[in-house]
């Protein structure tokens, strides 16, 4: 009779047979070899190295063996397990190497590829010129003011002393928005911003207002149905024409160069009284072309460049906006921005400014 510790079930012990362990190893090696990538290898691992794998179960059976058989069987189980583990490790290294190589290949950055195929844009010189104008006036204490491009007829004309029958209306080649009875125009000038500023701000006021204006003009080298203008307005107690002259001189020098002289020629605008045209000394020849120097392309050898209109705000305009003309006086001015760009940079065709071709705008860079 044998005691319980000596008895063992031959079926269980069959797992310890050398053929069974060899078969487990062969199967494991095949399963690892069949795993084509790391996830697949991880998925088959428990079946061959986990708690319920043949080698683990075999090890568990060792206890059931009689001591004389245990050492021998134990060595075989350990060898088998080590062999399965070695097969696994080897495959793991191989698959990891493969993965690393693939990642390196697929995620390669080719630093020799061109990076600038998306062409870079440029700021439009009209924008930078508007900013330059604004900067000059903000430095003198002015505020930036804006108004809509679709403007009420009253702001664009009536309040500026251009009544319904005023000849100046006809000269503006106005574009009316439909239906015309609504009285909305595409503003023909930036002067309506004067009215908006007077109605919405407290006196005294100093505002500068660059913007787009529209006229029913065909496009050619010197005309465009849309163009830029800058409007300036100062209303305070005791403002005189001397203030206007000094301010415009600062403006011209900020735009075209230090030391340039300015002159005012009598003119007429309905919203200023008296009114004047502003000329400034040619920044290219400084008048030399009129004193026997070489001919000047910039001023056509005139020595002076005409730039815009100005004057003392008409008391009728102040009154229309509720300001007391006995207490307040003011000056206003308005200039074309394309013109400034054209003579500043020797541009001869206005269409180059309106076309929006980046080959034209790029050379201006970021200049302000
Ligand atoms: N708005 C005028 C125009 O488009 C320009 C102008 C002239 C504006 C005299 C002014 C000014 O403010 O005082 O022709």
């Amino acid at each position: 009779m044998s005691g319980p510790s000596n008895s063992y079930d031959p079926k269980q012990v069959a797992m310890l047979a050398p053929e069974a362990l060899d078969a487990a190893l062969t199967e494991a090696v095949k399963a690892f070899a069949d795993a084509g990538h790391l996830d697949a290898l991880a998925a088959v691992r428990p079946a061959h190295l986990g708690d319920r794998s043949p080698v683990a179960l075999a090890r568990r059976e060792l206890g059931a063996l009689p001591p004389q058989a245990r050492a021998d069987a134990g060595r075989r189980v350990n060898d088998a397990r080590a062999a399965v583990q070695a097969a696994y490790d080897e495959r793991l290294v191989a698959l990891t190497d493969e993965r690393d190589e693939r990642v390196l290949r697929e995620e390669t950055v080719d630093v020799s590829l061109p990076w600038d195929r998306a062409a870079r844009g440029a700021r439009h010189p009209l924008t930078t010129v508007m900013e330059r104008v604004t900067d000059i006036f903000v430095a003198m204490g002015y505020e930036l003011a804006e108004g809509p491009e679709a403007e009420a007829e009253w702001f664009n004309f009536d309040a500026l002393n251009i009544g319904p029958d005023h000849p100046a209306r006809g000269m503006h080649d106005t574009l009316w928005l439909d239906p015309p009875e609504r009285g909305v125009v595409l503003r023909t000038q930036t002067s309506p911003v004067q009215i908006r500023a007077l109605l919405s701000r407290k006196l005294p006021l100093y505002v500068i207002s660059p913007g787009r204006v529209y006229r029913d003009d065909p496009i050619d080298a010197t005309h465009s149905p849309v163009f830029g203008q800058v409007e300036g307005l100062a209303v305070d107690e005791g403002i005189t024409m001397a203030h206007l002259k000094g301010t415009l001189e600062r403006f011209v020098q900020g735009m075209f160069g230090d030391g340039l002289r300015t002159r005012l020629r009598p003119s007429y605008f309905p919203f200023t009284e008296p009114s004047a045209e502003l000329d400034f000394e040619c920044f290219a020849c400084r008048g030399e072309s009129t004193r026997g120097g070489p001919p000047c392309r910039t001023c056509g050898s005139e020595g002076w460049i005409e730039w815009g209109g100005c004057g003392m705000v008409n008391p009728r305009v102040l009154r229309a906006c509720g300001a007391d003309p006995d207490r307040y006086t003011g000056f206003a001015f308005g200039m074309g921005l394309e013109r400034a760009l054209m003579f500043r940079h020797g541009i001869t065709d206005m269409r180059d400014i309106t076309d929006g071709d980046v080959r034209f705008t790029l050379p201006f860079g970021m200049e302000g």
Side-chain angles (χ1 to χ4, degrees), residues 25-37 40-41 44 48 87-88 90-92 94-95 98:
L25 174 59
T26 309
E27 232 176 88
V29 169
K30 182 173 174 344
F32 297 156
D34 286 348
H37 50 84
L41 182 64
V44 298
H48 302 283
Y88 174 82
E90 198 182 313
R91 188 71 183 136
L92 183 66
L95 288 176
E98 253 179 61

Side-chain angles (χ1 to χ4, degrees), residues 172 188-191 194 215 229-232 269 271-272 276 308-311 332-335:
H172 272 223
T188 60
Q189 49 187 351
T190 41
S191 304
Q194 286 188 30
R215 305 247 175 130
Q229 249 190 11
V230 58
E231 192 78 18
F269 297 100
F271 37 88
T272 42
C310 60
F333 54 89
M335 281 89 194

